[in-house]
Amino acid sequence: MMPFGGIASKLQIDRLKAAGVGQHDSCVPYLNQDYEGLRQQCLESGSLFEDPKFPAVTSTLGFKELGPGSSKVQGVRWKRPSDIVDDPQFIVGGATRTDICQGALGDCWLLAAIGSLTLNEDLLHRVVPHGQSFQDDYAGIFHFQIWQFGEWVDVVIDDRLPVKDGELVFVHSAEGTEFWSALLEKAYAKLNGSYEALSGGSTTEGFEDFTGGVAEMYELRKAPRDLDRIIRRALERGSLLGCSIDITSNLDMEAVTFKKLVKGHAYSVTGLKEVDYRGQQEKIIRIRNPWGQVEWTGAWSDNSSEWNEVDPSEREDLHLKMEDGEFWMSFQEFLRQFHRLEICNLTPDALSKDGLSKWHTTLYDGTWRRGSTAGGCRNNPATFWINPQFKVTLLEEDDDPEDSEVACSFLVALMQKNRRKERKVGGDMHTIGFALYEVPDEFKGCQNVHLKKDFFLRHQSCARSETFINLREVSTQIHLPPGEYLIVPSTFDAHQEGDFVLRIFTEKQSDIEELDEEVTADLPDEEVLSEDDVDDSFKNMFRQLAGEDMEISVFELKSILNRVVTRHKDLKTDGFSMESCRQMVNLMDKDGSGKLGIVEFQVLWNKIRTWLTVFRQHDLDKSGTMSSYELRMALESTGFKLNNKLMQVIVARYSDSEMGVDFDNFVCCLVKLEAMFRFFRAMDQEDSGTAEMNMGEWLTLTMCG
């Protein structure tokens, strides 16, 4: 069960987020390290910063290929830039591609993202804050601001970098004197636990962490018919667009084709236009090589004959805005020559230019927890329904004159959190995806409902992620008519634990909410009995059990219940504990004696018999235990509707290592729930949904519980 400290910490985090902490203008200090405060301490003490949270030791490098004992880390020393070159610089003449040269780490995906970031100065300086240098008030401390799973974090590092044979082991600048890129790589490694955790990845992962945007990927051999419209809209929104040509072997890397396109190289898409060419409209697309040279030489290139057929004023306008390394090509040629298009859509938080069309964005944090919310994909019909569920209400169709279809465009992006950190203990990315369903009429307009197994057995999805894949994020752009839809994010296999962020980007304003049960309890009226209502056979049994004092203590209750359940061969149980029996006594003890009289014991006995019937009804496979997802339905049949968070706590507290719940734990769970609900209602005299209590009342409640 989550300790009170963990619950309190989670509540504090939720309140900070609600107050706007984690937005770019209010970054969260990563690991609670405050850059300005630490820097000032160093300046006042005359010492250079040494980061205790990411120390200059071998384990910071890695855990396997770069782990302690590996030959690759032999001879590595940690040095500050002033110990490597005479006159180190942070940035000289602006950040450029030549500042980013790969070292002995397979993180080219990250470096390609950093390189693309240098093309947009506004975005770059949000990640690399101004005012940092090795000259003015230098204290050996630097900081970078990086987006992580829904919030911006400010990452502090010292400037001790790994060096071998006098050279930086990882990222370095071509000249060897600029260090902003090496320090940014170190900050990113700190976020992910080590340098080695960065090995292997997708450029879009870096794009997103440097912009807070969301990425889409298109295979151009299977491009949607309206790809030109998708590109045009992305450019209007200020999105970052990249394209590339696949390589078939390492020998292909950066090989130049006969028309001067570079394989395995990241290009930027910067424009899409239609021109009047020989009496017809020709779509042309503008591409940029970040090298600033090596340009396409085919049709529509800078000096090709096609331009002679274009109106001079239009030709001049299209060429006027071009930079070195930029060129036009026909859209059809683009689809033939390039293999992949990646679009990083920027969120409103990342856009600073007025007049750019923006997505409406919504973000949810969620969890998959074994036994309560980790149901796996549709291949797991018994558990799929327990996954978190989110409802999107599409209110207004797109206003696109080119599209005759009445539809709403939106993008669903599912991102798993913190999986790179799991690599050092043998973990990695889960295989993830999502499915969408039309909300049935009877549940339209409802929020306080969690759709159950029968719904998913009877209904097909109306849209889904293109594939379940073991990437950090899977995203799909979807077009559906206005209406209400259910999104179910999941791992491919059931019972895989993880945290995720679900982001939904809509063209028009829409309503999005998590679907979950409202926490309620339909408690039966407390049974009012007198001793006269107890039949003689029960009285005789009670006299034998209770002894001379005619009251049953916690110890006696434990003995009685365990004798009874062992007679029921269809029940699996390891017996009632002292703690669970004490909770039962607390629930039923009306006179405060700490023991149960005959009437109190009769009421408890009636409850247990009712709960035994419920248990048997929901033990569907007659195994003698309930699975944790059968538990949710069993609790609901006894009147308790609980949300996902509460179910996670209950499963952690009352299930075994195989996610089974035996009869004694089922009874204990019901006793605890009934006691807590009754206590709350006693404190909530106004029936307002809020209870007030003083410290003494709070301690009495929690200590007795």
Side-chain angles (χ1 to χ4, degrees):
M1 189 172 185
M2 187 185 292
F4 280 123
I7 295 172
S9 176
K10 178 72 171 64
L11 288 171
Q12 177 69 1
I13 290 169
D14 290 344
R15 285 172 181 154
L16 287 170
K17 282 189 175 180
V21 173
Q23 299 300 308
H24 191 269
D25 56 1
S26 183
C27 277
V28 176
Y30 185 61
L31 301 179
N32 291 317
Q33 289 178 296
D34 175 55
Y35 169 71
E36 290 296 346
L38 291 169
R39 182 168 170 267
Q40 196 57 40
Q41 287 175 21
C42 291
L43 290 173
E44 289 174 2
S45 65
S47 60
L48 296 179
F49 179 61
E50 294 189 6
D51 186 1
K53 303 291 179 72
F54 200 56
V57 295
T58 307
S59 59
T60 291
L61 296 175
F63 44 86
K64 190 177 180 182
E65 296 282 320
L66 297 174
S70 165
S71 60
K72 292 184 179 179
V73 302
Q74 299 304 310
V76 170
R77 301 289 180 266
W78 296 83
K79 294 187 176 183
R80 298 188 189 270
S82 55
D83 299 323
I84 303 170
V85 298
D86 291 336
D87 186 22
Q89 301 294 318
F90 188 66
I91 290 182
V92 177
T96 61
R97 179 190 174 280
T98 59
D99 298 342
I100 308 152
C101 302
Q102 189 174 354
L105 187 62
D107 64 347
C108 60
W109 61 275
L110 174 63
L111 309 190
I114 298 173
S116 295
L117 199 60
T118 64
L119 302 176
N120 187 320
E121 197 170 333
D122 291 338
L123 293 176
L124 176 75
H125 284 299
R126 297 180 47 174
V127 174
V128 186
H130 280 293
Q132 304 189 82
S133 80
F134 291 97
Q135 286 74 36
D136 301 329
D137 289 334
Y138 167 69
I141 184 171
F142 292 86
H143 70 133
F144 299 88
Q145 297 182 343
I146 300 171
W147 185 89
Q148 285 286 281
F149 314 119
E151 65 183 15
W152 286 90
V153 293
D154 191 82
V155 185
V156 168
I157 56 164
D158 64 34
D159 62 351
R160 294 178 294 176
L161 297 168
V163 172
K164 190 171 184 178
D165 299 327
E167 295 185 348
L168 288 176
V169 176
F170 303 127
V171 168
H172 53 278
S173 65
E175 299 82 7
T177 55
E178 277 183 81
F179 288 91
W180 71 270
S181 58
L183 295 170
L184 173 54
E185 183 189 42
K186 181 174 183 178
Y188 204 76
K190 180 177 178 177
L191 268 182
N192 288 282
S194 69
Y195 277 94
E196 189 174 354
L198 304 184
S199 185
S202 163
T203 299
T204 53
E205 193 174 328
F207 263 151
E208 292 182 337
D209 287 349
F210 297 143
T211 65
V214 62
E216 304 171 80
M217 190 180 297
Y218 295 94
E219 298 293 336
L220 296 181
R221 296 291 182 271
K222 301 182 290 183
R225 287 197 307 271
D226 62 344
L227 183 65
D228 59 324
R229 188 176 63 130
I230 291 169
I231 292 173
R232 189 178 298 114
R233 287 191 167 193
L235 290 167
E236 287 170 0
R237 285 192 294 263
S239 303
L240 302 179
L241 286 80
C243 57
S244 59
I245 302 170
D246 288 348
I247 60 171
T248 53
S249 73
N250 286 336
L251 297 175
D252 259 358
M253 187 52 121
E254 299 203 337
V256 180
T257 69
F258 79 103
K259 288 190 178 178
K260 293 292 192 293
L261 292 178
V262 186
K263 293 184 177 182
H265 180 56
Y267 287 84
S268 301
V269 176
T270 59
L272 181 68
K273 296 289 183 184
E274 285 194 2
V275 294
D276 190 352
Y277 176 67
R278 293 181 176 173
Q280 292 187 328
Q281 291 296 300
E282 174 89 13
K283 286 191 187 76
I284 58 174
I285 189 167
R286 191 172 65 203
I287 313 289
R288 186 177 191 274
N289 183 344
W291 289 352
Q293 54 187 337
V294 189
E295 295 187 14
W296 163 251
T297 58
W300 295 99
S301 59
D302 286 5
N303 298 309
S304 68
S305 60
E306 284 79 11
W307 290 107
N308 298 331
E309 305 289 333
V310 176
D311 182 272
S313 62
E314 190 174 12
R315 180 174 68 224
E316 185 179 346
D317 184 53
L318 291 175
H319 278 154
L320 191 64
K321 298 172 184 174
M322 291 175 66
E323 302 174 8
D324 282 346
E326 241 176 355
F327 54 86
W328 292 95
M329 65 193 307
S330 86
F331 188 69
Q332 291 305 314
E333 191 73 48
F334 165 74
L335 295 178
R336 283 192 293 270
Q337 294 289 340
F338 287 88
H339 292 102
R340 185 169 293 103
L341 173 72
E342 294 170 292
I343 301 177
C344 183
N345 299 291
L346 304 185
T347 62
D349 184 42
L351 292 168
S352 57
K353 295 176 181 175
D354 294 333
L356 289 173
S357 171
K358 298 178 182 179
W359 289 99
H360 296 282
T361 63
T362 306
L363 179 148
Y364 282 98
D365 286 298
T367 57
W368 294 300
R369 289 292 176 267
R370 187 166 172 259
S372 58
T373 54
C377 71
R378 273 291 296 266
N379 295 351
N380 305 276
T383 57
F384 179 71
W385 67 276
I386 70 174
N387 285 300
Q389 300 173 10
F390 301 86
K391 185 176 75 173
V392 55
T393 304
L394 304 174
L395 302 168
E396 190 179 352
E397 66 271 13
D398 303 342
D399 44 10
D400 187 345
E402 297 178 26
D403 191 355
S404 58
E405 182 185 9
V406 177
C408 307
S409 300
F410 64 110
L411 182 70
V412 179
L414 173 65
M415 178 184 291
Q416 50 189 321
K417 297 168 71 170
N418 301 315
R419 299 305 301 173
R420 285 187 180 274
K421 289 182 178 177
E422 297 295 313
R423 288 183 175 180
K424 63 184 176 185
V425 291
D428 211 330
M429 300 292 180
H430 290 316
T431 300
I432 61 170
F434 54 84
L436 276 82
Y437 298 81
E438 189 169 2
V439 173
D441 290 341
E442 63 266 32
F443 293 120
K444 283 182 177 170
C446 298
Q447 181 182 359
N448 300 320
V449 62
H450 187 95
L451 297 184
K452 304 299 188 295
K453 180 169 70 173
D454 287 348
F455 169 81
F456 295 104
L457 291 176
R458 294 196 314 267
H459 294 82
Q460 291 292 317
S461 60
C462 59
R464 63 181 70 85
S465 53
E466 290 181 19
T467 181
F468 274 75
I469 194 165
N470 60 339
L471 291 177
R472 185 178 75 162
E473 183 175 67
V474 56
S475 67
T476 303
Q477 189 156 159
I478 297 168
H479 305 277
L480 288 171
E484 293 185 20
Y485 299 92
L486 183 72
I487 303 173
V488 184
S490 73
T491 57
F492 184 78
D493 294 317
H495 313 308
Q496 290 191 313
E497 295 204 326
D499 299 326
F500 66 84
V501 168
L502 181 71
R503 293 187 289 166
I504 302 163
F505 300 75
T506 53
E507 291 267 336
K508 292 295 189 75
Q509 192 68 47
S510 60
D511 293 333
I512 300 165
E513 56 199 351
E514 182 171 5
L515 278 189
D516 208 351
E517 302 289 1
E518 182 180 11
V519 178
T520 60
D522 183 13
L523 296 176
D525 292 335
E526 292 196 70
E527 206 171 355
V528 179
L529 297 176
S530 69
E531 197 165 331
D532 295 337
D533 297 318
V534 180
D535 64 40
D536 291 338
S537 61
F538 192 88
K539 286 178 181 176
N540 291 332
M541 180 190 74
F542 184 80
R543 288 190 190 97
Q544 293 172 15
L545 297 172
E548 292 183 8
D549 65 353
M550 286 298 286
E551 287 198 313
I552 290 178
S553 69
V554 171
F555 302 97
E556 289 167 330
L557 180 62
K558 179 175 183 287
S559 175
I560 293 164
L561 292 179
N562 286 334
R563 259 189 291 165
V564 170
V565 293
T566 54
R567 291 181 194 149
H568 292 271
K569 301 304 181 187
D570 63 333
L571 299 179
K572 285 188 180 176
T573 175
D574 53 6
F576 287 87
S577 66
M578 288 296 296
E579 178 192 355
S580 56
C581 291
R582 189 169 284 114
Q583 286 181 358
M584 289 185 223
V585 171
N586 287 340
L587 175 66
M588 305 309 305
D589 178 21
K590 302 302 179 188
D591 58 9
S593 66
K595 296 182 179 182
L596 299 182
I598 188 168
V599 172
E600 294 166 334
F601 185 65
Q602 173 77 76
V603 173
L604 175 62
W605 194 254
N606 292 345
K607 285 180 184 293
I608 290 175
R609 284 193 304 182
T610 301
W611 294 338
L612 176 59
T613 302
V614 171
F615 185 86
R616 284 177 166 148
Q617 287 172 346
H618 288 85
D619 175 15
L620 299 179
D621 60 359
K622 306 306 175 190
S623 64
T625 65
M626 274 192 290
S627 69
S628 55
Y629 46 90
E630 289 168 343
L631 172 64
R632 184 166 189 163
M633 301 306 298
L635 293 177
E636 191 164 316
S637 74
T638 61
F640 295 102
K641 286 194 174 182
L642 308 177
N643 61 21
N644 287 338
K645 287 183 180 178
L646 271 172
M647 282 308 303
Q648 286 177 17
V649 172
I650 284 172
V651 168
R653 173 66 180 82
Y654 294 104
S655 68
D656 60 25
S657 59
E658 300 300 316
M659 296 292 111
V661 180
D662 57 17
F663 181 64
D664 55 288
N665 273 310
F666 179 61
V667 170
C668 294
C669 178
L670 284 165
V671 167
K672 183 77 168 179
L673 281 171
E674 184 171 335
M676 298 303 281
F677 270 101
R678 290 198 187 281
F679 186 94
F680 182 87
R681 289 181 180 176
M683 302 302 294
D684 181 16
Q685 298 288 341
E686 305 293 325
D687 196 23
S688 65
T690 302
E692 289 188 10
M693 63 184 78
N694 59 36
M695 180 65 78
E697 291 167 332
W698 166 252
L699 288 172
T700 301
L701 167 67
T702 53
M703 294 302 289
C704 287

